Amino acid sequence: MSTTTCRHEEGIKAAHESCIDASVRSPLLLLFGNALHWLVVAAFLAFLASVKLAFPGFLGGVAFLGYGRLEAMSRDLFLYGWASQAAIAAGIWLMARLSGRPLGGVILRTVINSAIVLWNLAVLLGTLAILAGYSTGVEWLEYPNWVSSMLLLSFLMIGIWVVCLFDRRANIGSGGRAETALWYIVAGFCCFPWVYGTANLLLTWKPVSGSAQGLVQGWFSGAFLLLWLLPLALASLYALLPRLSGQHLHRRNLSPLGFWLFLLLGGWAGLSRLIGGPIPAWMTSAGIVAGVLFLIPVLIAVINLAFLQRSGGHDGDGIAWQYLRSGLFLVLSSALLGAFVSLPDVSAFARFTGVTSARDVLWLLGAVSFTLLGVLHKATPALLAREVWCAGLSITQYWLAFAGVLLLAVLLFLEGLVVGLALLDPVVSFLNITSYAQPFHVLEAAAWGIFLASAVLAATNFTRALAAERLFPKN
Amino acid sequence: MHHDNHQNECGGDSSGAPLSPWIVGAFMISLFLGGLYLAYHSGGFRSDVYESNAVSWTGGGAQTEEKVDPKVVGKRLYSQNCVVCHQSTGLGVAGQFPPLAGSEWVNSDSKHGENHLVLLMLHGHQGPMSVKGGNYNNAMPQWKQLSDDQIASILTYIRSDWGNNAPAIDPSFVAGIRSEHKDQSDPWTQAQLMQMPPAKGTPAAPAAK
Amino acid sequence: MHRLPTLLSGILLVFLTSWLGVVAYSTLELGRLQPAPDAETGATLPPNYGGDAIAGERVYAAEGCASCHSQQVRQTSITGTDIARGWGVRPSVARDYLRDSTAFLGSSRLGPDLSNIGVRQPKAAWQFLHLYRPGSVAEGSLMPSYSHLFEVRKIQGQCSDAALDLPAEFAPKPGYEVVPSTDAKNLVAYLLSLRHDYPLPEAPVKKAAGAK
């Protein structure tokens, strides 16, 4: 459907949904497509890194294939190449749909598309910079300064429009369609530039004294996950699960409480990554409390959404439903594991081991990725205005992803338990303990392989859909 | 794709039942417990307390400060400032720089008080001086740019090494002497110093003139 | 919360609690910490380290060493095992990282903690061997070989002073020697500078013998 025939709807009357989809088509396909391809690259690099961990001599001595570089590249690609782009796409689509306002004007569309191109260019250059040895060395912020500035600029070009849509939505007075989802989108889009900008400013652009850097790093890791990626994931769940089920939220009154608690605790929960570290005691305790209490807003979301039943809808919605439901389950699991490792006695043995890695895997690859994949699977047929998913491929891809992530998380958790508990005895040598972890590393490499396969399938599926659209356009 | 009927979305019509008291209660209790934990494990919310099992709401860090031995500091300062003339053996150079080991000026006796020693350090000395029966005629520079703590630690050190065994000098004594003679700018001569009665510099009672 | 200004102000206020409480607080309170004077030697603590160690910090960053190694000894109220294991004589505090342009606290211990590696392994020769062939000094180690930081070259006349003294199974073929590059030397200088064993006002070093 050509956008030139799509008139701007005035007043409170919401635009036709297909009109909205047509207007955001190019940015969204650009975002989702690039995100999926970065997911494949990230998964491949992570797989390579895990093989190096399982067999330390593998590809040894090559400068740009060092474990540290592979690990940094893959992690940043997961964060900025895959998750952030998919989150931006979800934000644009859901905000446009729920507000009933199409993306109007060629200029705005050009700006947003250019921003997306800039983003992907930045990610590519940043990855190559790490490969070449120009990493900043700061966790999750390894991209050089000029790359992170590009990312921030590109985000601002998109984010401002998305946030402004909240006020221009078509049905403000009526209490709102899935308004909870909209709050989370606005919160996420507001927090990203602030969190990312502050952290970069204080850690890489004009670094503060080293004594303060640890705290800012820990805050950033927590805030990036919990105040940017997770709100977009929750927004997707709040928007799509009720819609796909045709039912209401179970306890809608809890939503505002959940939202504000979420925002409040999300900034402090990152401190639980620094328990026992060189930070004042009160900040450790604040991190412990916030990390555990973070369960409350998550439980509120789960209470609201877990009891919805799938009903009717298109066949294509089935796969989206599966991803979203798993996403909700993984949100709960991540929050439970996060609360578990925030307990000081647990952190005593679990910190620095596979247990905390498992928490990150569950949050990033599990909760966030699955919900965003759900949005992707719901949005793409709408954007292309046709049924696109090959059922067999989609189901295989889903089960491979689920198996890969769950296996990886469980293996990391078990490895962390074994290593962490063994380390408690100071007499046992460290090298001895690393040998206990070896079999786990081999299995984790296998789990990464499974996840890689699913990523490849996802990218293939999407590319197939796009190609079909190109070759057999529906007029 | 067809339109969706907006009416069957979760919209404003599902205002829902009032919040269940169980949920509210559980939430309140968790917040309270969290706050309690924070209060007891915050080390007084101080930025220099790192161990969370130290509750210190009043001043003072949770760990006991280890007092540094003034003799150690004094020895270091002596070796940086004084060995050039008085030597690391405390024996000085015959005919040029007076010895400190066994010196009556350093150990204080009936004629030479601690106040004289402090004044020597603060403002220096010029002209002839008799130490341990020997005559010296050299210039000792002033050291009033050092702090009271530093001067007290140097004097404590020289009064305890090389066979000397005199009581420590307290920084407050040095401070008292410094303020008494704050207008003094020239180095002392032996005659000027001997005109002042010797005073003991016990920590409890700063010497009066 | 139906209108953007209300929602935005709410988000701003709530977000500010953590931004002020964590970021602003740490930048103003901890970021302005000054070196502490050392009563015994007159130096300032933490000690300064030289230019090659500063260059070595960049090599540490580029190789991503922080992916596997942490640099913090944990507080004893959480766990005493870091100290019991000999990874430090006292817990690390914020001021320890004062001289670092990047504080590589690390979040994973696939390898041991490095905050006191300059005390544990003070010989540069060991560090070079470990970087070139970790298995030669630490059997069963997961650490990959950083041989790209070294040069294997033909011996010109005599072995150079800097050549690594490798055991037979790791040695290069006869007539060749392994020499560290500038990057390796800088990295080792940085590693040898890593020590948190001096006392600070907020972190005294217990003189009791039971620490280790």
Side-chain angles (χ1 to χ4, degrees):
Chain A
M1 182 165 183
S2 160
T3 50
T4 52
T5 62
C6 172
R7 282 188 337 261
H8 229 97
E9 299 292 329
E10 295 300 327
I12 59 165
K13 184 157 176 273
H16 192 287
E17 262 185 15
S18 49
C19 175
I20 297 174
D21 290 338
S23 74
V24 292
R25 191 162 165 258
S26 61
L28 246 68
L29 291 178
L30 259 182
L31 281 167
F32 276 135
N34 278 305
L36 278 176
H37 288 102
W38 285 127
L39 180 66
V40 174
V41 179
F44 175 68
L45 290 173
F47 172 66
L48 211 56
S50 68
V51 171
K52 290 203 72 158
L53 206 54
F55 308 103
F58 180 67
L59 293 178
V62 183
F64 53 86
L65 287 180
Y67 178 81
R69 297 194 199 193
L70 289 176
E71 171 74 20
M73 284 194 285
S74 80
R75 187 172 49 221
D76 284 358
L77 277 177
F78 275 124
L79 288 170
Y80 305 108
W82 154 242
S84 292
Q85 276 203 91
I88 294 173
I92 294 178
W93 188 62
L94 290 172
M95 185 58 98
R97 274 285 200 101
L98 294 171
S99 63
R101 291 265 172 258
L103 170 56
V106 175
I107 297 179
L108 187 55
R109 195 169 310 119
T110 317
V111 166
I112 292 187
N113 286 345
S114 325
I116 297 171
V117 170
L118 183 67
W119 181 284
N120 283 289
L121 189 64
V123 169
L124 175 67
L125 291 175
T127 309
L128 291 175
I130 299 177
L131 192 68
Y134 292 100
S135 159
T136 61
V138 180
E139 239 178 61
W140 295 22
L141 289 167
E142 286 94 348
Y143 289 155
N145 294 351
W146 45 277
V147 170
S148 40
S149 326
M150 278 162 76
L151 285 176
L152 191 59
L153 176 66
S154 152
F155 184 88
L156 287 172
M157 282 156 77
I158 306 173
I160 297 178
W161 170 77
V162 171
V163 171
C164 289
L165 261 191
F166 181 77
D167 233 11
R168 295 175 50 229
R169 58 191 196 283
N171 44 13
I172 283 181
S174 67
R177 270 178 65 188
E179 202 178 57
T180 318
L182 295 176
W183 301 335
Y184 280 102
I185 296 177
V186 172
F189 274 79
C190 285
C191 288
F192 176 88
W194 212 340
V195 168
Y196 193 66
T198 306
N200 269 299
L201 179 70
L202 295 176
L203 295 174
T204 56
W205 294 343
K206 292 207 61 68
V208 289
S209 152
S211 30
Q213 282 188 15
L215 265 172
V216 180
Q217 271 185 38
W219 171 82
F220 171 72
S221 301
F224 192 82
L225 262 184
L226 301 178
L227 291 181
W228 157 238
L229 291 177
L230 191 56
L232 271 291
L234 284 178
S236 315
L237 291 170
Y238 269 107
L240 292 178
L241 280 177
R243 178 182 171 123
L244 287 174
S245 70
Q247 292 166 336
H248 302 309
L249 295 179
H250 195 66
R251 284 246 184 277
R252 193 169 164 275
N253 286 2
L254 285 178
S255 307
L257 180 66
F259 174 69
W260 293 116
L261 259 186
F262 183 92
L263 263 189
L264 177 68
L265 295 172
W268 291 92
L271 289 181
S272 66
R273 293 167 175 268
L274 294 168
I275 294 176
I279 63 178
W282 73 266
M283 301 185 99
T284 302
S285 304
I288 292 170
V289 170
V292 174
L293 288 183
F294 195 74
L295 264 180
I296 298 181
V298 169
L299 279 174
I300 289 177
V302 169
I303 290 173
N304 263 324
L305 297 167
F307 301 107
L308 304 175
Q309 311 280 348
R310 169 106 176 86
S311 79
H314 300 267
D315 292 324
D317 287 348
I319 193 74
W321 176 262
Q322 261 189 300
Y323 272 110
L324 290 167
R325 288 286 292 186
S326 319
L328 185 64
F329 162 72
L330 287 163
V331 166
L332 181 60
S333 320
S334 318
L336 281 170
L337 184 55
F340 181 62
V341 295
S342 297
L343 298 170
D345 294 327
V346 175
S347 174
F349 71 83
R351 193 164 168 226
F352 302 120
T353 66
V355 180
T356 43
S357 310
R359 173 198 57 193
D360 285 341
V361 161
L362 273 182
W363 271 130
L364 186 56
L365 292 182
V368 168
S369 297
F370 272 69
T371 39
L372 294 177
L373 280 169
V375 178
L376 191 158
H377 280 83
K378 179 86 179 82
T380 317
L383 293 169
L384 296 176
R386 65 201 286 157
E387 299 296 332
V388 297
W389 301 122
C390 163
L393 204 56
S394 301
I395 296 286
T396 321
Q397 166 205 329
Y398 167 80
W399 281 110
L400 279 177
F402 195 66
V405 171
L406 223 52
L407 200 60
L408 189 60
V410 168
L411 284 169
L412 281 169
F413 182 79
L414 289 174
E415 177 204 330
L417 273 185
V418 167
V419 170
L421 291 173
L423 277 173
L424 284 179
D425 183 358
V427 174
V428 185
S429 86
F430 190 84
L431 281 172
N432 237 337
I433 293 170
T434 5
S435 64
Y436 303 160
Q438 266 315 87
F440 287 102
H441 288 142
V442 176
L443 292 173
E444 279 152 24
W448 273 114
I450 297 175
F451 186 77
L452 174 62
S454 110
V456 169
L457 284 181
T460 315
N461 217 349
F462 189 83
T463 317
R464 233 193 85 263
L466 277 189
E469 218 277 335
R470 279 291 138 78
L471 296 173
F472 309 108
K474 185 177 170 183
N475 284 34
Chain B
M1 285 287 284
H2 55 268
H3 291 270
D4 279 7
N5 186 349
H6 298 314
Q7 290 321 113
N8 68 356
E9 301 297 327
C10 314
D13 52 328
S14 73
S15 47
L19 285 180
S20 150
W22 295 111
I23 293 181
V24 175
F27 162 64
M28 291 298 194
I29 292 177
S30 338
L31 272 191
F32 177 71
L33 289 175
L36 213 59
Y37 181 87
L38 188 57
Y40 278 111
H41 291 87
S42 57
F45 290 95
R46 295 170 56 99
S47 66
D48 59 351
V49 173
Y50 288 84
E51 300 283 2
S52 54
N53 52 10
V55 182
S56 68
W57 295 100
T58 58
Q63 295 100 343
T64 50
E65 300 241 357
E66 299 206 5
K67 289 235 168 289
V68 186
D69 189 352
K71 293 200 194 97
V72 172
V73 182
K75 180 172 180 169
R76 191 252 303 170
L77 288 166
Y78 178 87
S79 59
Q80 288 170 346
N81 296 303
C82 318
V83 291
V84 187
C85 300
H86 292 290
Q87 309 306 313
S88 56
T89 52
L91 294 173
V93 174
Q96 276 198 304
F97 305 119
L100 304 177
S103 159
E104 65 276 23
W105 291 91
V106 173
N107 290 297
S108 304
D109 60 9
S110 51
K111 291 220 200 60
H112 304 86
E114 273 99 356
N115 56 331
H116 297 143
L117 182 59
V118 174
L119 286 169
L120 273 177
M121 278 286 302
L122 283 173
H123 304 113
H125 184 276
Q126 64 187 356
M129 185 187 211
S130 115
V131 182
K132 282 173 75 172
N135 284 322
Y136 298 85
N137 194 340
N138 217 325
M140 168 158 163
Q142 64 180 7
W143 293 101
K144 63 179 185 205
Q145 67 274 20
L146 293 178
S147 72
D148 298 331
D149 279 323
Q150 289 173 317
I151 290 181
S153 63
I154 293 178
L155 295 178
T156 304
Y157 166 66
I158 64 176
R159 283 155 68 92
S160 66
D161 203 357
W162 315 302
N164 291 345
N165 197 359
I169 302 275
D170 193 74
S172 57
F173 178 66
V174 177
I177 303 271
R178 188 198 291 265
S179 64
E180 251 183 79
H181 296 270
K182 60 181 183 296
D183 295 327
Q184 179 72 16
S185 55
D186 294 329
W188 300 105
T189 61
Q190 179 165 327
Q192 284 173 331
L193 285 178
M194 290 295 101
Q195 271 175 2
M196 296 181 223
K200 280 237 155 287
T202 54
K209 191 162 176 181
Chain C
M1 279 172 52
H2 297 310
R3 308 257 20 162
L4 190 58
T6 328
L7 182 62
L8 272 185
S9 350
I11 293 176
L12 177 80
L13 280 172
V14 176
F15 179 77
L16 266 182
T17 57
S18 79
W19 193 85
L20 288 174
V22 181
V23 179
Y25 175 89
S26 62
T27 310
L28 296 174
E29 279 279 336
L30 301 176
R32 292 206 187 143
L33 280 175
Q34 295 301 318
D38 179 5
E40 284 192 31
T41 65
T44 52
L45 299 167
N48 256 317
Y49 46 86
D52 44 359
I54 296 176
E57 213 185 282
R58 288 300 102 210
V59 179
Y60 192 94
E63 298 297 337
C65 306
S67 299
C68 296
H69 291 283
S70 62
Q71 272 186 34
Q72 47 182 298
V73 176
R74 285 182 286 176
Q75 310 299 323
T76 48
S77 54
I78 298 292
T79 177
T81 46
D82 287 0
I83 294 177
R85 193 164 267 284
W87 282 343
V89 296
R90 62 160 175 80
S92 303
V93 296
R95 215 194 301 236
D96 289 326
Y97 306 91
L98 194 57
R99 309 276 187 208
D100 298 338
S101 59
T102 306
F104 299 107
L105 288 187
S107 59
S108 177
R109 282 182 182 163
L110 290 163
D113 183 85
L114 294 182
S115 54
N116 286 282
I117 193 71
V119 179
R120 282 207 307 281
Q121 299 290 356
K123 295 209 162 55
W126 186 94
Q127 299 283 1
F128 283 125
L129 280 179
H130 184 247
L131 284 171
Y132 182 68
R133 287 278 182 268
S136 66
V137 288
E139 210 179 297
S141 166
L142 275 185
M143 173 133 160
S145 155
Y146 284 90
S147 49
H148 63 270
L149 294 174
F150 297 83
E151 199 193 318
V152 180
R153 63 177 189 207
K154 213 161 161 50
I155 300 180
Q156 312 277 0
Q158 272 186 324
C159 281
S160 60
D161 285 335
L164 265 55
D165 187 13
L166 287 157
E169 55 191 300
F170 301 103
K173 49 184 194 277
Y176 283 80
E177 59 179 5
V178 180
V179 174
S181 68
T182 320
D183 274 349
K185 290 191 207 149
N186 290 337
L187 180 60
V188 169
Y190 171 72
L191 290 173
L192 293 180
S193 75
L194 291 175
R195 55 195 319 138
H196 293 170
D197 58 346
Y198 44 83
L200 285 174
E202 64 269 22
V205 177
K206 299 208 180 0
K207 304 268 200 289
K212 192 151 186 216

